[in-house]
Amino acid sequence: MSQLDLARLQFAMTSIYHFLFVPVTIGVSGLTAVLQTAWYRTKREEYLRLTRFFGTLMVISIAVGVVTGLVQEFQFGMDWSHYSRTVGNVFGGPLALEGLAAFFLESTFLGLWLFGWDKLSPRLHLATVYAVVIGGALSAAFIMSANSWMQHPVGYQTNAAGQPQLNDFWALFTNPVFLRGYLHVLLAGVVTGSVVMLAVSAWQLRKGQEPEVFRISASLALLVLVPSLLLAMLVGSELGVTEGKYQPMKIAGAEAQWTTCQPCSFSMFQIGGGNKDQTPTKIIAIPHLLSLLATNHWNGKVLGLNPVNAQYNQQFGPGYYVPNIFIQYWSMRVMAYLATVVLAIGVWGIWLLYRRKLGHAKLFQRVAVWAAVLPFLMNTAGWLLTENGRQPWIVQGLMLTSNGLSPSVSTAQVATSIIVFLLLYAGLAIVAAVVMAKYARKQLAPARAHSDHPIPAVSY
Amino acid sequence: MGFATFWFIAIAVLWTGFFVLEGFDLGVGMLHAFVSRDEAGRRASINTIGPLWDGNEVWLIVAAAGMFAAFPAWYATMFSGLYPAMVLLLAGLIMRGVSFEFRGKMDSVRWRAAWDVLLTVGSLLVPLLIGIALADLLGGLPIAANQEYTGSFGDLFSGYSVFTGVTIVLLCLLHGSTFLALKTTDELRANARRIARVVGPVTTLAVIAWVAWTHSVGSEGVFLNIPELVTALGVVGAAGMLAAGRDGWAFASTTLAMGSAVVSVFVELYPRLMVSSTNPAFDITVHNGASGTYSLQVMTIIAAVFLPIVILYQAWTYHVFRARVSADQYRSGPDTGPVEPPEPLPAS
């Protein structure tokens, strides 16, 4: 493999890993804040116990998220120095803002939340968990504004040396790709957090441990899950239309649509149709659906991969501008189909909740436990869809990925570092999974008869 | 003063903030297994930094992001040129960061012992490697006219850079042991003071030698500049205050020594960002390495708004957790005692 392949592999590997933990952090921290608010308002012991129980999962997830996020930040300079050198004056701004405005907030107040139970007033302590939630959400906002600039560069002008120079910082945050993309990521986090909370609660309910307490968290998770998933689907489809406008390759690739069509049908499943053969055997095609998804119109026109490639050849010079179609086609379907499965589970749960049968529905509880893997697959597929779909551009229309590499770094160095991170991440995954599973199965801390006892820190 | 110079100062402040704050928690990380033999003592010493280390580490993240945004050439050349060192640094940061989180999560002696080792090694690697990296900026690396690094792995380890790394590690040990003496009680405190008194003179000698070396690498003149003088005085003062048993003043002195040591490097560096050992004309400077004016203006506003707020709430955090931590808190009784919830009953 070349340095380009290895550097891309390293970036894909470390971002996917990082993004296993980020959505859990976003979702579980929000839900923990809701539980703690309920405790603050009602003073009911169940809410406090649930707050501390799910707070531990939040803390583990933040810890791994933070250290793997560091790898992401350093990697731009390490593997993609020419990219960093060229676009740092645009791309670095949101990153610095993330640190200053979001990351300090999240990390400092996490320490206060963890260790401040008996040192802060209940109201102030409640405020610290909200600071953590806000910090996490802001952090995602800045990263998404930087990423959206790579998808659809705005707010810059090109200088004499041909380098993009920022001239409108605000434009990064009114970028249409950012507005939809960020909302989609945020909702994906809430979906992930609520599925995790549902799965853990279902496990506890199956074991018959404290059913009256875990019914509360299962209900909360279900009530959050269904509307946030529906919204995520809606925003996601809007994001698809927006991306279709600025990155026609991405959307045509998601359907493996080689020729321009109008109206366009959507294939539920197909064989072939990749970069080599271009002639798919569509198994089930739904008329007009692709037009609707990609353009919001019943008879909308979707440009095919070959015509767009021809157009790019004229615009940017000879080259092959089509991304890997196999990844593009399937990542879109994995995301969308699994979302439908999760929605079905959520609706089933709501129905049980309505019938007051959640505590006894053994089959549902078993399914809900296994559903925990689904949001992680969906999140990964979503990122593959959006990042693979941008290739071969590192910044759409401005800079090719192959031009972003570090000239001073050797292929062997990248290969060695991939092995180092692979070993570290594998070790970390095993430890995090074992510890999280242990805590998820753990019995709740006993209720405290007297509230005048100090409440110890959650961990360390 | 132009925006580029302002940002050079801002980045120097961020790195200084990182070493002053994370410096003592790195020191505690290296020492936690040596100040106490029993679990309660180790846990108490880790908990002196428990609520603080995560916020401290963000100074590093922001320093790196600030370099990326304000001086893309600096960030790009340094991070790609120091590639293998950066991989090791990240490995150290990862090991250390997760060991805080995981060591207390299983009730097993071997589990905790393993995380103790990772915490110690990680806390050693981080200041050693960042020290080497900072010294390389000043000491010079083979950098070509196109600002790209042309050296190999071995070029990163000059006598000066390695000695800087070791000196920074020693400073962290002194800073950390002084912090522990200030934040713990009884036997733990006595042990921390004993360690600080041993580390003190060694560090003093190393720092004085390092200050002279830094001056000879960076400046033309004979006389030390002010930050270099302050570094030497700070570390001598710290050793003296430790001998006199004045923990608070000793910690103030180590803070001063650590802070001014980092400032010394940046003062010698200015207006350069990275010195080229190939040709002085290829140096990366605040002029040829900076972002566009508009970016720097925006960044300046952002820093001017957020940095004071961050300093305020971090200072408040230190105020909230000002109490000393005692090993007894982790030793006895259900009400003062085990922080962990009880083990689960066997599943039926």
Side-chain angles (χ1 to χ4, degrees):
Chain A
M1 280 207 273
S2 67
Q3 187 196 345
L4 178 64
D5 295 332
L6 287 169
R8 283 185 62 191
L9 179 65
Q10 171 142 310
F11 202 90
M13 186 183 100
T14 51
S15 345
I16 287 171
Y17 196 85
H18 178 57
F19 205 75
L20 296 178
F21 297 91
V22 172
V24 182
T25 301
I26 293 175
V28 174
S29 66
L31 290 164
T32 304
V34 170
L35 287 167
Q36 191 170 342
T37 310
W39 174 61
Y40 177 77
R41 290 239 165 145
T42 64
K43 295 293 165 208
R44 280 173 57 188
E45 194 77 22
E46 299 92 306
Y47 290 129
L48 174 62
R49 295 167 75 198
L50 284 172
T51 302
R52 291 171 60 81
F53 183 84
F54 286 103
T56 307
L57 293 187
M58 163 181 94
V59 172
I60 297 170
S61 151
I62 292 183
V64 185
V66 166
V67 292
T68 52
L70 264 165
V71 179
Q72 293 308 101
E73 189 197 21
F74 278 37
Q75 212 174 162
F76 291 113
M78 290 165 64
D79 283 321
W80 306 96
S81 75
H82 196 255
Y83 167 77
S84 305
R85 200 184 296 282
T86 312
V87 306
N89 84 90
V90 185
F91 189 83
L95 256 57
L97 195 53
E98 188 213 10
L100 275 166
F103 215 46
F104 266 130
L105 192 72
E106 189 181 12
S107 302
T108 310
F109 281 86
L110 182 67
L112 280 158
W113 185 80
L114 264 174
F115 287 84
W117 288 91
D118 55 350
K119 291 199 161 62
L120 302 172
S121 72
R123 180 197 286 252
L124 204 51
H125 188 263
L126 178 65
T128 63
V129 76
Y130 277 98
V132 173
V133 173
I134 292 169
L138 279 177
S139 169
F142 297 130
I143 291 306
M144 285 304 293
S145 72
N147 178 274
S148 303
W149 187 81
M150 297 166 84
Q151 313 288 345
H152 174 49
V154 290
Y156 73 96
Q157 63 192 20
T158 309
N159 70 2
Q163 293 183 339
Q165 298 285 311
L166 187 67
N167 67 3
D168 182 2
F169 188 65
W170 190 238
L172 300 179
F173 300 94
T174 53
N175 185 344
V177 175
F178 163 71
L179 294 171
R180 292 164 183 80
Y182 174 51
L183 201 55
H184 188 59
V185 161
L186 217 51
L187 287 164
V190 176
V191 168
T192 308
S194 49
V195 172
V196 167
M197 184 179 266
L198 176 66
V200 172
S201 309
W203 197 92
Q204 297 276 6
L205 287 171
R206 271 189 76 198
K207 294 289 158 193
Q209 281 164 183
E210 310 249 12
E212 67 289 350
V213 180
F214 282 108
R215 252 204 313 267
I216 297 174
S217 53
S219 312
L220 172 65
L222 281 167
L223 291 174
V224 172
L225 171 62
V226 172
S228 59
L229 182 55
L230 284 171
L231 268 176
M233 288 167 144
L234 201 67
V235 175
S237 99
E238 276 305 302
L239 177 63
V241 175
T242 311
E243 287 181 328
K245 211 177 332 175
Y246 304 114
Q247 298 173 289
M249 279 289 188
K250 184 183 276 186
I251 297 306
E255 179 60 20
Q257 184 67 41
W258 289 95
T259 52
T260 300
C261 54
Q262 184 176 27
C264 310
S265 61
F266 180 89
S267 76
M268 293 297 286
F269 186 86
Q270 71 181 32
I271 299 164
N275 297 55
K276 295 273 154 51
D277 67 1
Q278 302 194 3
T279 46
T281 313
K282 296 194 177 190
I283 308 295
I284 305 170
I286 302 178
H288 295 282
L289 184 58
L290 177 61
S291 288
L292 203 59
L293 286 175
T295 67
N296 271 353
H297 296 291
W298 186 246
N299 284 319
K301 178 161 105 175
V302 177
L303 290 175
L305 292 162
N306 285 328
V308 179
N309 192 44
Q311 184 199 322
Y312 281 9
N313 270 281
Q314 287 202 330
Q315 206 174 337
F316 304 109
Y320 187 61
Y321 297 94
V322 181
N324 181 320
I325 295 305
F326 180 82
I327 295 178
Q328 202 62 7
Y329 180 89
W330 285 108
S331 58
M332 197 263 177
R333 274 151 191 78
V334 166
M335 180 180 74
Y337 294 170
L338 292 184
T340 317
V341 174
V342 173
L343 185 64
I345 295 172
V347 170
W348 180 12
I350 294 271
W351 181 71
L352 290 169
L353 185 65
Y354 176 72
R355 300 278 309 272
R356 298 181 184 281
K357 283 184 175 167
L358 201 57
H360 324 286
K362 290 289 171 200
L363 180 64
F364 174 76
Q365 290 166 7
R366 190 185 297 251
V367 170
V369 170
W370 285 103
V373 275
L374 300 181
F376 297 98
L377 296 174
M378 284 151 61
N379 293 332
T380 302
W383 273 114
L384 281 175
L385 177 67
T386 202
E387 298 299 280
N388 175 69
R390 192 189 65 231
Q391 300 302 328
W393 298 104
I394 196 165
V395 182
Q396 180 77 37
L398 268 184
M399 189 177 188
L400 289 170
T401 307
S402 52
N403 291 337
L405 283 171
S406 300
S408 64
V409 173
S410 71
T411 308
Q413 284 179 331
V414 188
T416 315
S417 79
I418 287 187
I419 294 167
V420 170
F421 286 121
L422 214 53
L423 291 174
L424 267 173
Y425 280 11
L428 210 55
I430 294 167
V431 172
V434 167
V435 170
M436 276 194 165
K438 182 194 150 183
Y439 270 77
R441 295 168 178 196
K442 201 160 194 162
Q443 283 204 326
L444 279 176
R448 283 167 190 276
H450 308 290
S451 57
D452 51 325
H453 290 307
I455 305 172
V458 168
S459 76
Y460 287 25
Chain B
M1 186 175 76
F3 286 110
T5 299
F6 172 85
W7 262 94
F8 180 83
I9 295 170
I11 283 162
V13 168
L14 290 167
W15 278 110
T16 309
F18 169 71
F19 274 107
V20 164
L21 297 174
E22 182 109 321
F24 68 75
D25 71 54
L26 289 167
V28 173
M30 282 186 271
L31 290 169
H32 78 284
F34 301 98
V35 284
S36 182
R37 277 175 206 285
D38 65 345
E39 170 57 15
R42 288 180 182 186
R43 186 156 183 172
S45 58
I46 293 176
N47 276 352
T48 61
I49 55 170
L52 309 171
W53 74 270
D54 202 2
N56 293 346
E57 195 162 292
V58 179
W59 287 82
L60 168 72
I61 295 170
V62 179
M67 289 164 76
F68 194 172
F71 301 104
W74 191 7
Y75 171 79
T77 307
M78 181 172 169
F79 280 61
S80 62
L82 274 66
Y83 196 96
M86 291 292 171
V87 174
L88 271 178
L89 172 62
L90 286 170
L93 284 164
I94 290 174
M95 288 192 302
R96 188 181 120 80
V98 295
S99 58
F100 285 112
E101 208 43 65
F102 289 136
R103 90 178 278 289
K105 292 280 187 290
M106 294 269 178
D107 197 16
S108 142
V109 176
R110 279 173 58 194
W111 171 269
R112 279 195 297 264
W115 289 111
D116 282 348
V117 171
L118 289 179
L119 177 54
T120 311
V121 174
S123 301
L124 173 72
L125 275 178
V126 171
L128 182 69
L129 290 163
I130 301 183
I132 289 172
L134 284 185
D136 277 335
L137 300 178
L138 180 64
L141 291 171
I143 293 171
N146 63 359
Q147 301 189 331
E148 289 294 346
Y149 179 74
T150 55
S152 62
F153 185 46
D155 291 320
L156 304 176
F157 303 95
S158 66
Y160 174 65
S161 71
V162 172
F163 188 65
T164 304
V166 173
T167 307
I168 296 275
V169 169
L170 284 169
L171 268 170
C172 287
L173 284 171
L174 182 62
H175 201 32
S177 53
T178 314
F179 179 79
L180 271 177
L182 194 62
K183 292 287 286 183
T184 55
T185 59
D186 308 319
E187 195 196 338
L188 206 52
R189 185 180 179 199
N191 289 343
R193 291 172 110 171
R194 204 171 302 136
I195 292 174
R197 280 197 202 123
V198 176
V199 175
V202 182
T203 309
T204 306
L205 290 176
V207 167
I208 289 172
W210 176 78
V211 163
W213 200 342
T214 300
H215 186 75
S216 79
V217 168
S219 305
E220 302 286 310
V222 179
F223 296 106
L224 297 182
N225 57 35
I226 291 171
E228 288 165 349
L229 274 173
V230 172
T231 309
L233 289 176
V235 75
V236 171
M241 289 299 164
L242 282 167
R246 308 289 296 267
D247 294 347
W249 285 106
F251 186 68
S253 304
T254 57
T255 301
L256 194 66
M258 178 68 95
S260 51
V262 180
V263 171
S264 300
V265 175
F266 282 91
V267 166
E268 295 290 4
L269 202 55
Y270 185 81
R272 301 165 297 180
L273 305 171
M274 287 185 89
V275 174
S276 168
S277 57
T278 313
N279 183 338
F282 303 160
D283 286 352
I284 301 174
T285 67
V286 293
H287 309 295
N288 68 22
S291 269
T293 314
Y294 176 82
S295 301
L296 290 171
Q297 281 171 341
V298 171
M299 295 274 302
T300 303
I301 296 168
I302 290 169
V305 171
F306 285 104
L307 209 51
I309 299 176
V310 169
I311 290 171
L312 272 180
Y313 64 61
Q314 285 212 335
W316 177 65
T317 306
Y318 280 79
H319 175 74
V320 169
F321 299 109
R322 65 192 176 281
R324 285 181 188 268
V325 180
S326 155
D328 293 338
Q329 283 170 266
Y330 305 98
R331 211 162 259 147
S332 61
D335 289 340
T336 54
V339 175
E340 298 295 318
E343 284 299 298
L345 299 173
S348 50

